Amino acid sequence: MTSPAPRRHFVRLTASALGALTLLAAAPWAHAAEESPDAMIQRLSDDLLQTIRADKTLQTGDVDRVMAVVDSKVMPNVNFTRMTASATGPSWRKATPDQRQRLQQEFKNLLVRTYAGALKQVSDQSVEVKPLRAAPNDKEVIVRTLVKSKGDPVQLDYRLERTPGQGSGWKIYDLNVLGVWLVDNYRPQFSQQLNAGGVDALINSLAERNRSNASPSGKS
């Protein structure tokens, strides 16, 4: 098992992860219910790598542009509530609706600001989706992929859930980069703040990090 990487190493490894997540920006979803999850990931990856290569503003890591893409295209295809709840742990159940909304917004802002610069590394990558190991009636699956470029391939896996209702397809709720799941990476960071002061302390900590990252001297 690969041990959790330090934050800087994780950010570097997650360059392809945010690229892949932002890749969800332009692919049509008209046939999502007819697709297997691995076919969906392959189509989205192929279509949207091309989109990022063609969008110079995205390539610069412009946060406003990345945020607009995330809000309009990515978020509808990700169960971000589940992602945030998993990172928050038991405290999520005690949070008020307003706290949950604020926590999700600050977490999303943190992810976008942290990884926006990773889009600069999108160039000649291609995505190979591994054969899916799942039964037809499975409601949750892991789609394993390799992001290939000039260097060593990057392991990038997705956890997806089948959404209820006809025609709803699949939604992503976690990402794994070289053995490090995004939720697992943030859970201990969240736990420290939650233990110190509860949900409000976590929200305030994330908001402060976002303000720092947004400042001219802030580092992503």
Side-chain angles (χ1 to χ4, degrees):
M1 294 293 293
T2 303
S3 60
R7 180 176 181 275
R8 182 179 301 176
H9 186 50
F10 184 78
V11 169
R12 180 176 61 82
L13 297 180
T14 313
S16 297
L18 182 72
L21 192 59
T22 310
L23 291 182
L24 303 180
W29 277 78
H31 303 292
E34 302 172 11
E35 288 183 306
S36 63
D38 54 336
M40 183 193 81
I41 293 296
Q42 183 72 73
R43 175 176 59 82
L44 295 177
S45 299
D46 292 344
D47 289 350
L48 295 171
L49 274 171
Q50 296 178 14
T51 298
I52 291 179
R53 292 188 189 109
D55 191 324
K56 299 299 183 183
T57 306
L58 276 177
Q59 291 174 25
T60 65
D62 181 90
V63 171
D64 289 338
R65 172 61 178 149
V66 175
M67 187 70 77
V69 168
V70 168
D71 283 337
S72 64
K73 301 295 184 179
V74 175
M75 295 306 289
N77 305 315
V78 177
N79 187 341
F80 198 69
T81 298
R82 177 171 179 175
M83 184 180 291
T84 308
S86 297
T88 304
S91 294
W92 178 262
R93 294 192 297 271
K94 303 175 185 178
T96 66
D98 178 65
Q99 287 176 320
R100 292 180 179 184
Q101 190 277 330
R102 290 163 56 206
L103 182 54
Q104 288 184 78
Q105 185 62 49
E106 295 297 346
F107 188 29
K108 182 185 70 173
N109 291 347
L110 177 67
L111 293 176
V112 170
R113 290 192 178 280
T114 300
Y115 302 123
L119 299 182
K120 298 176 183 178
Q121 301 184 32
V122 175
S123 57
D124 62 344
Q125 288 87 345
S126 63
V127 175
E128 175 189 336
V129 177
K130 300 283 191 174
L132 181 65
R133 297 179 179 178
N137 294 327
D138 282 350
K139 295 182 179 179
E140 296 189 1
V141 300
I142 296 178
V143 175
R144 304 186 185 279
T145 78
L146 289 176
V147 179
K148 297 183 174 181
S149 186
K150 294 178 181 179
D152 293 333
V154 175
Q155 173 193 342
L156 176 58
D157 303 334
Y158 301 82
R159 282 187 172 133
L160 299 96
E161 63 177 5
R162 190 192 302 272
T163 57
Q166 184 177 3
S168 297
W170 296 83
K171 287 192 176 183
I172 297 167
Y173 66 90
D174 204 356
L175 298 170
N176 179 337
V177 185
L178 288 178
V180 181
W181 288 100
L182 185 147
V183 167
D184 290 342
N185 181 71
Y186 280 99
R187 186 178 290 123
Q189 300 177 39
F190 283 18
S191 179
Q192 183 177 7
Q193 296 299 324
L194 291 165
N195 290 337
V199 175
D200 283 335
L202 174 58
I203 294 170
N204 292 336
S205 174
L206 293 176
E208 177 58 34
R209 288 172 66 178
N210 287 328
R211 286 191 292 271
S212 177
N213 287 342
S215 68
S217 59
K219 300 279 186 185
S220 296

